[in-house]
Amino acid sequence: FSGLINPKYLKYFFFIHFIVQLIQAFLFNNLQGLSNLGLNLRNTGLLVMPSTAGLISVLSLIYLLANNKRNYFLIIVTIISVLLTASGLSLVILFLSFFIIFNIKRSVFLILSGFLVPLFLIFAPIILGRANLFKSISDRLYVWSKLIEKMQFLNLSTSGYYTNSFASASRISGNSSWRDYIIDGDFFMISLNFGVIIFIIYIASILIKTISSNRSIFYLGIIFTCVS
């Protein structure tokens, strides 16, 4: 990936993004709640959604450390950036990124995951300053359960409906149920637009590529699955 993005420009973007987060944290007055330190809770920097802001910070870190894994200053800045978003998903992805950065074996990852998952469940709401973190997760699971009811083996009649574009068009046209077409996640978008069979083929190809590849691709595959 080294030739896709100029690291210099990415570094400029990352630090501007981080500085904007700091400005939001100190100057925004309880816009989305307050952190344990009394700062604005969810700071998105140059992005809109907290999870997206945290994801961009972590992916920038992975890219920038591809040839310099000992830039601990950049690692610390990224940790602070993720904490400023108060995003549970971003915290998980940050944890996964360390396995890529430090080239940790898969067996070690599997062993550590057994210990760290319970710790995450206990301490994540405290670290992020979000007592309602798991309520957010349960609400999302409820929405997903409703989406599962709409799945078919081949969704030929509703293909293309469950996209943000269709939701926007429905809202403009005055369709009161336009929110039903907003999908939170690529996996549900594929399942609802193309059917379960296509989704199974899609996820199987990801799993095969993830399991059979080197460590970095293995962890990136897990990150991609979490995001999707």
Side-chain angles (χ1 to χ4, degrees), residues 124-137:
I126 300 173
I127 295 173
L128 298 175
R130 293 179 62 193
N132 65 340
L133 177 63
F134 295 118
K135 182 183 183 303
S136 174
I137 295 175

Side-chain angles (χ1 to χ4, degrees), residues 167-175 178:
S168 299
S170 298
R171 182 181 183 183
I172 294 172
S173 64
N175 187 342
W178 64 272

Side-chain angles (χ1 to χ4, degrees), residues 3-228:
L4 294 179
I5 303 174
N6 188 317
K8 180 176 67 175
Y9 297 131
L10 179 60
K11 189 176 293 185
Y12 290 156
F13 170 83
F14 174 72
F15 279 108
I16 293 172
H17 169 63
F18 178 65
I19 291 171
V20 173
Q21 283 186 289
L22 291 177
I23 293 172
Q24 292 169 342
F26 285 97
L27 298 184
F28 282 21
N29 185 21
N30 194 16
L31 185 62
Q32 296 189 53
L34 293 175
S35 69
N36 296 328
L37 299 176
L39 304 176
N40 187 58
L41 181 61
R42 314 204 71 182
N43 307 282
T44 59
L46 297 177
L47 285 304
V48 176
M49 301 299 294
S51 57
T52 306
L55 174 63
I56 290 297
S57 294
V58 175
L59 293 181
S60 297
L61 175 70
I62 294 172
Y63 190 90
L64 292 172
L65 293 190
N67 297 316
N68 181 15
K69 300 185 183 302
R70 297 189 179 276
N71 191 334
Y72 295 110
F73 173 74
L74 195 58
I75 294 175
I76 292 172
V77 169
T78 304
I79 293 173
I80 297 173
S81 175
V82 169
L83 293 178
L84 286 174
T85 68
S87 167
L89 175 61
S90 298
L91 191 63
V92 171
I93 294 172
L94 176 66
F95 161 72
L96 291 171
S97 73
F98 292 146
F99 289 90
I100 298 175
I101 293 168
F102 298 108
N103 196 26
I104 298 175
K105 294 181 179 179
R106 302 183 201 188
S107 57
V108 176
F109 164 74
L110 295 174
I111 295 172
L112 287 179
S113 295
F115 292 100
L116 293 177
V117 169
L119 291 177
F120 173 83
L121 296 175
I122 295 171
F123 292 107
I126 300 173
I127 295 173
L128 298 175
R130 293 179 62 193
N132 65 340
L133 177 63
F134 295 118
K135 182 183 183 303
S136 174
I137 295 175
S138 64
D139 290 344
R140 185 166 297 183
L141 290 175
Y142 174 77
V143 172
W144 288 352
S145 68
K146 294 299 182 181
L147 293 176
I148 290 174
E149 296 175 0
K150 300 178 182 180
M151 290 183 183
Q152 302 175 21
F153 282 104
L154 282 175
N155 286 22
L156 300 178
S157 60
T158 60
S159 180
Y161 283 22
Y162 296 97
T163 61
N164 289 335
S165 298
F166 186 83
S168 299
S170 298
R171 182 181 183 183
I172 294 172
S173 64
N175 187 342
S176 60
S177 60
W178 64 272
R179 293 181 183 277
D180 295 340
Y181 301 108
I182 298 177
I183 304 301
D184 187 10
D186 292 341
F187 288 166
F188 279 103
M189 186 269 292
I190 293 172
S191 300
L192 291 169
N193 284 298
F194 301 104
V196 176
I197 294 177
I198 302 300
F199 169 74
I200 292 174
I201 295 173
Y202 174 74
I203 195 66
S205 63
I206 294 175
L207 288 174
I208 292 171
K209 181 64 177 177
T210 298
I211 295 172
S212 62
S213 298
N214 59 38
R215 291 177 194 169
S216 295
I217 299 299
F218 172 76
Y219 294 125
L220 285 173
I222 296 176
I223 289 175
F224 175 78
T225 302
C226 291
V227 174
S228 298

